Amino acid sequence: MKARIPKHREFIIDFPKDVPAEKADEGWDKLMGLMEDYKKSHNGQTVYSPTFIEDLEPAVKELQAQYGFTYTIQNSK
């Protein structure tokens, strides 16, 4: 049996060590909330959606300003 996994891009999030754990956890929860809201508003689409990065990047940047994490966008195989 063969399965083809589509290539996609994903956010790689990094909270620096100087960000308190409570703040990092709160930021992470909000990031996960963005994904859940995305699924609900896009008929269950996930990170495999071709426009996932473009759709969420503005909101991720807002959270980045609040919570001090860094992110990169990486192509996944």
Side-chain angles (χ1 to χ4, degrees), residues 9-27:
R9 296 168 296 151
E10 54 192 25
F11 288 106
I12 305 299
I13 307 291
D14 180 43
F15 284 90
K17 293 182 189 218
D18 62 343
V19 173
E22 298 82 22
K23 187 173 182 177
D25 289 344
E26 183 180 322

Side-chain angles (χ1 to χ4, degrees), residues 4-69:
R4 177 169 285 179
I5 310 266
K7 291 183 179 182
H8 69 283
R9 296 168 296 151
E10 54 192 25
F11 288 106
I12 305 299
I13 307 291
D14 180 43
F15 284 90
K17 293 182 189 218
D18 62 343
V19 173
E22 298 82 22
K23 187 173 182 177
D25 289 344
E26 183 180 322
W28 190 251
D29 288 344
K30 290 196 177 190
L31 287 164
M32 293 295 102
L34 285 177
M35 285 184 48
E36 289 303 315
D37 291 346
Y38 183 81
K39 287 182 203 178
K40 290 175 187 173
S41 66
H42 289 84
N43 297 324
Q45 290 182 8
T46 65
V47 297
Y48 294 103
S49 170
T51 62
F52 174 75
I53 297 293
E54 291 79 7
D55 293 340
L56 285 185
E57 192 166 25
V60 169
K61 285 183 178 183
E62 284 182 30
L63 290 177
Q64 179 185 32
Q66 292 176 16
Y67 294 98
F69 60 83

